[in-house]
Amino acid sequence: MKAKKKRGSKIQSKLIKYIWICVIPLIILFSIAIIRLYGFYQDYDLLVRNITSANEYNMSFKESMDEMMYRIIIGSANWTNADEKLEDDDPKALIAEAKEHFIQLREKTTEDNVRADLTALIRLLEILDERVEDILKNVEEGGHYDENMEMLDMNIRTLTSLIQEDIQKYIYDEAQNMEMLRRQVASSLLNTIRIMIIVLIIILVVIYFLSRRLSERITEPITELVGMTEKFAGGDFTVSYHPDRDDEMKTLADSFNSMVKEIENLVEDIHREQENAKDAELRLLQEQINPHFLYNTLDAIIWMTEAGENKKAIQIIQELSSFFRISLSKGESEITIRNEREHVKNYLEIQRYRYQDILDYEINISDDILDYHIQKLTLQPIVENALYHGIKNKRGGGKITVEGYLSNRDEKSEGDVSGTIIFKIKDSGIGMNEEELTRLRKLISGEITIDDKRGFGMANVEKRITMLYGEEYGISVDSEYEEGTTVTVRIPIQ
């Protein structure tokens, strides 16, 4: 069975628009907060890495440099023998590495006091490099042991002490900057939280008023339409409803107005037409386009809207609108089986919203008969009978199955003729005992004329089919108590 293509819902579009109006400010606010916090995180991470790397030099540079130069002066480092030099005993490489590191730190910093600390530190490293070079030349020449030891005490150790002090000063200044950044982050975070709370309160207020507005936009016209329907149910055929809007409610109002006008015309025809066939068809039409069914459904829509189930309310409005369009069918008495199937589906979908805990259904009508014609309101009264007198009366509910196919010679039952279309409406409801089944069969066949709502709809369907197509066509009923009921409808190909 092909799925019905749903048209866009204007009420749903408005609902989505209102949701985005509330969500977008929150997205923007959270995005700004995340970007700002990420920027603070990067600054904080840079400070931590700078302090950590500088602290490594603070812990090891002086000791390593002093010990390395002492070993070179006393000859244990083999500085004069290139083949026996160790990579760890190269003071110039150590100075170059430290200088390069602190130059990179100076390029990254934006604080003037930290830049000054690093500039002084780099200058001391350059002086230390010059003093180290002097000692290394003496070591290579040989014979300058006392002079080298004096230069180690007076120059190298003094310079490494000064370098260590500058590194400590740099670490102290960066720690101060970190504390300032921490305060800035705390202040910014507090401000952001305040702003978010204020914006959240504003959004909640906006959501409240938008929800009220949307609810009023949906419920007010439905309430007005319910009032019109109640007047119509009381016999006032002059009512009409013209909402000042262009959405599903306008479609529903137009359908209601058309329905009222159509029923008014049909009632007038009752007075002019005395034929039984016309009378039966009009009575069936009046029962199916039941004002009580309409305003009960509208009450359900109002309840769903007030409960916040707007999507379900929109869906049931669309199903109800389609139901009435097919019911009216521009005054035509015949429609395609495709439209009759859609009419039954709309009816069951609407009822499933009301009886969702007890009702399930399935429609299996063969595609090769969808374009044939059928008297409108042939299947729906039988489906309604299955729901109200079968499913609702059985504890725990049940399922309604509608099948339709073209009979052939192999499948032909007793009474079938070539080219017969067969429909079977099955329910797993309470069923009937033999006495009830016999009484219903007599009512359908016209043997008795007791005013029984259980069989009125099916009796009218039977009467119209036999009058139009002959006695070989019509309705048959089979039922078992507590098992369910099956109604078979036979009509010729049209």
Side-chain angles (χ1 to χ4, degrees):
M1 186 173 65
K2 296 182 180 178
K4 179 183 177 182
K5 185 177 181 181
K6 301 290 184 182
R7 65 175 184 175
S9 169
K10 293 183 178 180
I11 295 178
Q12 187 176 22
S13 299
K14 290 179 181 178
L15 178 62
I16 293 173
K17 182 180 72 174
Y18 289 152
I19 291 174
W20 277 112
I21 289 174
C22 299
V23 169
I24 288 176
L26 279 178
I27 294 175
I28 294 173
L29 184 62
F30 276 108
S31 299
I32 293 173
I34 290 171
I35 291 171
R36 292 191 64 185
L37 289 175
Y38 181 71
F40 287 134
Y41 164 75
Q42 286 186 314
D43 293 340
Y44 187 83
D45 181 65
L46 179 61
L47 286 173
V48 170
R49 285 189 283 109
N50 290 348
I51 291 174
T52 302
S53 62
N55 194 52
E56 291 177 359
Y57 282 97
N58 179 51
M59 299 292 292
S60 63
F61 182 80
K62 175 176 173 56
E63 182 179 349
S64 298
M65 180 59 66
D66 291 349
E67 181 182 357
M68 192 181 303
M69 292 306 298
Y70 175 74
R71 291 177 61 203
I72 290 174
I73 291 172
I74 66 175
S76 64
N78 295 317
W79 180 258
T80 58
N81 188 343
D83 295 333
E84 297 181 3
K85 280 184 180 180
L86 299 175
E87 292 182 0
D88 294 338
D89 291 334
D90 189 347
K92 293 184 70 62
L94 180 60
I95 294 171
E97 180 183 351
K99 182 179 176 182
E100 178 64 24
H101 178 75
F102 288 112
I103 288 174
Q104 291 178 0
L105 291 182
R106 185 175 64 178
E107 292 175 351
K108 294 177 183 179
T109 187
T110 58
E111 302 296 331
D112 293 338
N113 60 335
V114 175
R115 185 181 296 275
D117 292 341
L118 292 171
T119 300
L121 180 57
I122 293 167
R123 178 57 186 158
L124 286 175
L125 288 170
E126 292 173 348
I127 296 172
L128 177 62
D129 187 51
E130 293 173 0
R131 300 290 83 79
V132 168
E133 182 67 26
D134 293 339
I135 294 176
L136 294 178
K137 287 181 180 180
N138 289 342
V139 171
E140 290 175 356
E141 291 176 0
H144 296 278
Y145 179 80
D146 292 336
E147 181 184 353
N148 290 339
M149 288 300 293
E150 182 180 359
M151 292 175 65
L152 175 62
D153 292 333
M154 299 299 295
N155 295 332
I156 303 303
R157 288 175 177 163
T158 300
L159 286 170
T160 53
S161 296
L162 292 173
I163 289 171
Q164 188 175 40
E165 290 176 2
D166 278 5
I167 293 175
Q168 290 173 351
K169 187 173 185 303
Y170 164 74
I171 293 173
Y172 175 79
D173 288 341
E174 285 286 57
Q176 290 289 100
N177 293 334
M178 184 182 294
E179 174 62 18
M180 291 176 61
L181 180 61
R182 185 196 67 78
R183 293 177 183 175
Q184 187 180 357
V185 170
S187 175
S188 177
L189 183 61
L190 186 60
N191 290 334
T192 300
I193 291 174
R194 290 188 184 127
I195 294 172
M196 289 180 67
I197 291 174
I198 294 172
V199 172
L200 184 61
I201 292 173
I202 293 173
I203 290 175
L204 289 176
V205 172
V206 171
I207 289 174
Y208 171 74
F209 284 106
L210 288 180
S211 298
R212 286 194 58 181
R213 175 177 173 79
L214 182 62
S215 177
E216 290 172 356
R217 290 279 294 173
I218 294 176
T219 58
E220 284 183 359
I222 293 177
T223 304
E224 293 175 2
L225 187 56
V226 168
M228 297 289 182
T229 307
E230 289 174 344
K231 292 181 180 179
F232 171 61
D236 184 359
F237 294 100
T238 64
V239 297
S240 63
Y241 181 51
H242 302 282
D244 185 18
R245 54 197 295 164
D246 184 21
D247 54 22
E248 287 79 7
M249 287 307 305
K250 185 177 186 303
T251 302
L252 185 59
D254 291 342
S255 298
F256 172 79
N257 295 335
S258 298
M259 177 193 70
V260 172
K261 186 64 177 177
E262 182 75 10
I263 292 178
E264 183 181 10
N265 293 334
L266 291 172
V267 170
E268 291 176 357
D269 289 342
I270 286 280
H271 298 153
R272 294 191 299 266
E273 300 292 340
Q274 300 298 321
E275 297 178 2
N276 291 334
K278 295 294 182 181
D279 178 72
E281 183 176 355
L282 182 59
R283 288 180 63 196
L284 180 60
L285 183 60
Q286 287 174 321
E287 180 175 287
Q288 296 310 310
I289 308 177
N290 192 334
H292 295 283
F293 164 70
L294 174 59
Y295 66 71
N296 284 340
T297 304
L298 293 176
D299 281 338
I301 295 172
I302 293 175
W303 176 84
M304 290 178 184
T305 304
E306 292 177 346
E309 298 179 347
N310 295 319
K311 290 186 178 179
K312 286 186 179 181
I314 292 169
Q315 183 67 29
I316 197 171
I317 288 172
Q318 292 174 336
E319 298 290 349
L320 188 61
S321 177
S322 178
F323 176 86
F324 282 118
R325 279 198 298 270
I326 296 175
S327 294
L328 298 173
S329 302
K330 299 180 180 179
E332 297 293 333
S333 61
E334 287 188 354
I335 59 175
T336 63
I337 294 176
R338 186 187 309 277
N339 285 338
E340 183 74 3
R341 179 188 69 179
E342 191 65 24
H343 191 244
V344 171
K345 177 178 177 294
N346 289 330
Y347 174 80
L348 287 171
E349 278 294 320
I350 293 169
Q351 296 290 31
R352 188 157 66 172
Y353 281 110
R354 299 177 60 194
Y355 305 109
Q356 55 185 335
D357 295 330
I358 65 170
L359 175 62
D360 190 14
Y361 77 90
E362 182 178 357
I363 302 176
N364 296 312
I365 296 179
S366 178
D367 290 342
D368 58 0
I369 67 172
L370 292 179
D371 293 326
Y372 292 125
H373 283 70
I374 187 173
Q375 286 289 308
K376 70 180 178 182
L377 301 174
T378 296
L379 302 181
Q380 189 269 335
I382 301 173
V383 171
E384 181 176 358
N385 189 79
L387 171 61
Y388 283 98
H389 301 290
I391 303 298
K392 287 183 64 177
N393 291 332
K394 182 178 181 181
R395 187 173 183 179
K399 181 177 181 179
I400 296 175
T401 302
V402 180
E403 299 177 351
Y405 55 91
L406 182 63
S407 174
N408 55 44
R409 297 181 185 277
D410 296 330
E411 295 177 324
K412 190 164 57 178
S413 303
E414 183 179 355
D416 285 356
V417 296
S418 179
T420 299
I421 296 175
I422 299 176
F423 297 96
K424 289 185 180 292
I425 298 89
K426 305 176 183 178
D427 70 76
S428 58
I430 191 65
M432 291 176 281
N433 55 35
E434 280 297 322
E435 181 181 355
E436 292 173 327
L437 180 59
T438 300
R439 185 170 177 274
L440 178 60
R441 286 171 174 170
K442 288 181 178 180
L443 180 63
I444 292 173
S445 65
E447 294 180 32
I448 59 176
T449 57
I450 298 174
D451 185 16
D452 187 348
K453 289 186 178 180
R454 179 168 190 160
F456 176 77
M458 290 196 291
N460 275 276
V461 172
E462 167 73 5
K463 186 175 181 179
R464 286 190 295 143
I465 291 176
T466 55
M467 288 184 67
L468 288 169
Y469 309 129
E471 296 293 333
E472 64 268 34
Y473 301 100
I475 295 176
S476 61
V477 184
D478 297 290
S479 182
E480 291 185 20
Y481 185 66
E482 293 188 346
E483 294 294 330
T485 302
T486 300
V487 178
T488 303
V489 180
R490 294 180 173 85
I491 62 172
I493 292 177
Q494 296 289 303

